[in-house]
Amino acid sequence: MTAYMNRRALLRGGAGLAGLGISAALLAACGDDSDSPATSASGGAKSFGALNYQLSWVKNVEFAGAYIADSKGYYTAAGFSSVNLMAGGPSVSQDAVVASGKALVGISSPDITAAAILKGADLVVIGAQYQKNPFAIVSLAATPLTTPQDLIGKKIGVQATNEPVWNAFLKANNLDPSKITKVPAQFDPSPLVSKEVDGWFSFFTNEPNLLKMKGVDTAVMLLNDHGYPMVSEVYVVKKSSLTSDRDKLKALLTADIKGWTESLADPKVGADLAATKYGKDLGLDAAEQALESAAQNTVVQTADTKANGLFTITDELVDETIKTLALGGVTISKDQLFDLSLIKELYTENPSLKAAS
């Protein structure tokens, strides 16, 4: 459980690069080790060489689509000789890895990437796996908190690393902090189970499913649906890669679209791969991972992605993400943070990918 809970400390480091271990010196000193331009293999097929793919966290089911794409050979079919799915963690700054050229692409969070860009990193978001951010208020099913107004007069367990999001959420909903008792918390939700608090700050994919495996039913209020909309699990690349490695990026996204399409069809596939292969050393429970996989599928596949294709982001959601970042003190323009030309181009060139997703 600790591995999941401590993840929030990493995500909340987005307000400053020091918290991520990203420095101007690192960004400047690391050379571009990306593979050489694609060459033609026999039959005219592209040969892109090895793919270095930086994940945002340890190899749990969060990256189900990539596991499926790798295990089914979708990356090699797209032109890569091999794929290196690079695990993240508290000691890994995914945006710095991409900015240094050590990985072609990384999975990150808009606040982390925005902070890096504002510090001079040559980065841009080209798509999003999650159409909604995963932060939530979790309560017991018997005493559910379903609206922001329900928090008034209640005790909510909030971790110190999550206070920036908590404060921005209150601001977005015009809630008076003095009317809600914020209880300092760690990452073990036992105080919710013992009713020491009425609600718990959480990822909707994690604690609710961990508690469900223990027989505890919960209610989940997604912050995204209540004044705090923002994409998450975004694809981050060097801005220069949109020109120098455009075909490589299309190949990567093509493989991921196929992998995630299969994960949407059967959430157990990626869960089993996480537990038995990619995250085997983490001691993951396949049944719990399947619950997480099913939960995350609800924010990967939405009405918008059904219409426009996986990983696309609507103009409205781009604007909402920028506004949400501003609530947390991160001011950036949409043109600085996003370039969605490639994902749109990919679906125009390959409309069958949209139909499949």
Side-chain angles (χ1 to χ4, degrees):
M1 181 181 296
T2 302
Y4 298 139
M5 305 310 132
N6 286 344
R7 160 153 212 201
R8 251 83 74 196
L10 177 67
L11 290 177
R12 296 306 346 131
L17 296 183
L20 295 171
I22 301 176
S23 67
L26 172 62
L27 297 178
C30 293
D32 189 340
D33 290 345
S34 59
D35 297 320
S36 58
T39 57
S40 295
S42 60
K46 291 291 183 67
S47 177
F48 296 119
L51 168 63
N52 290 321
Y53 189 150
Q54 179 63 60
L55 307 179
S56 59
W57 193 237
V58 296
K59 293 181 179 179
N60 60 13
V61 77
E62 192 168 328
F63 313 105
Y67 304 153
I68 295 172
D70 184 32
S71 65
K72 292 291 186 71
Y74 295 150
Y75 293 117
T76 52
F80 294 103
S81 60
S82 62
V83 59
N84 178 22
L85 296 176
M86 303 158 65
S91 62
V92 178
S93 299
Q94 64 269 21
D95 288 70
V97 173
V98 176
S100 72
K102 303 298 182 182
L104 174 67
V105 66
I107 302 300
S108 192
S109 178
D111 52 350
I112 296 176
T113 302
I117 292 171
L118 293 173
K119 290 292 185 179
D122 173 41
L123 297 173
V124 69
V125 171
I126 62 170
Q129 292 176 356
Y130 286 10
Q131 300 294 299
K132 297 182 178 183
N133 81 78
F135 283 105
I137 302 296
V138 180
S139 54
L140 297 178
T143 53
L145 302 175
T146 59
T147 70
Q149 289 69 34
D150 289 344
L151 304 184
I152 296 174
K154 299 297 194 300
K155 297 179 180 179
I156 310 297
V158 181
Q159 304 78 17
T161 53
N162 287 330
E163 287 190 9
V165 175
W166 167 254
N167 292 332
F169 173 67
L170 296 183
K171 182 178 179 181
N173 288 278
N174 297 313
L175 293 174
D176 184 347
S178 68
K179 295 183 179 180
I180 304 171
T181 302
K182 181 184 67 177
V183 178
Q186 298 301 317
F187 295 96
D188 180 353
S190 297
L192 176 64
V193 179
S194 62
K195 301 181 181 180
E196 296 172 50
V197 296
D198 304 294
W200 193 258
F201 205 93
S202 166
F203 272 20
F204 88 103
T205 51
N206 293 162
E207 284 93 320
N209 290 310
L210 291 167
L211 291 175
K212 186 173 183 178
M213 291 296 293
K214 296 182 178 181
V216 179
D217 291 329
T218 59
V220 175
M221 180 178 69
L222 206 60
L223 269 59
N224 196 100
D225 296 337
H226 297 278
Y228 201 81
M230 183 168 64
V231 293
S232 191
E233 297 296 278
V234 295
Y235 286 93
V236 176
V237 303
K238 292 181 70 173
K239 200 167 186 178
S240 56
S241 294
L242 286 173
T243 300
S244 62
D245 292 312
R246 199 170 185 86
D247 286 346
K248 280 188 185 181
L249 294 174
K250 287 181 182 178
L252 160 73
L253 291 174
T254 296
D256 271 16
I257 288 167
K258 292 178 179 179
W260 276 104
T261 297
E262 294 193 21
S263 183
L264 290 167
D266 186 353
K268 292 183 180 179
V269 175
D272 288 341
L273 287 171
T276 64
K277 182 178 180 181
Y278 295 90
K280 186 177 181 180
D281 60 336
L282 300 175
L284 302 172
D285 182 293
E288 191 277 332
Q289 290 289 284
L291 291 176
E292 290 198 21
S293 183
Q296 75 180 356
N297 280 352
T298 66
V299 296
V300 171
Q301 181 69 288
T302 64
D304 286 331
T305 61
K306 285 182 179 179
N308 304 317
L310 294 179
F311 317 148
T312 58
I313 311 173
T314 64
D315 292 341
E316 179 183 13
L317 189 47
V318 166
D319 290 338
E320 289 176 342
T321 297
I322 295 300
K323 290 179 181 177
T324 297
L325 290 174
L327 288 172
V330 179
T331 303
I332 191 170
S333 72
K334 60 184 178 182
D335 290 336
Q336 283 178 288
L337 184 58
F338 294 100
D339 187 327
L340 304 177
S341 62
L342 187 143
I343 188 70
K344 293 177 182 177
E345 189 176 294
L346 176 62
Y347 279 115
T348 297
E349 295 171 350
N350 300 278
S352 62
L353 287 175
K354 185 185 299 184
S357 65

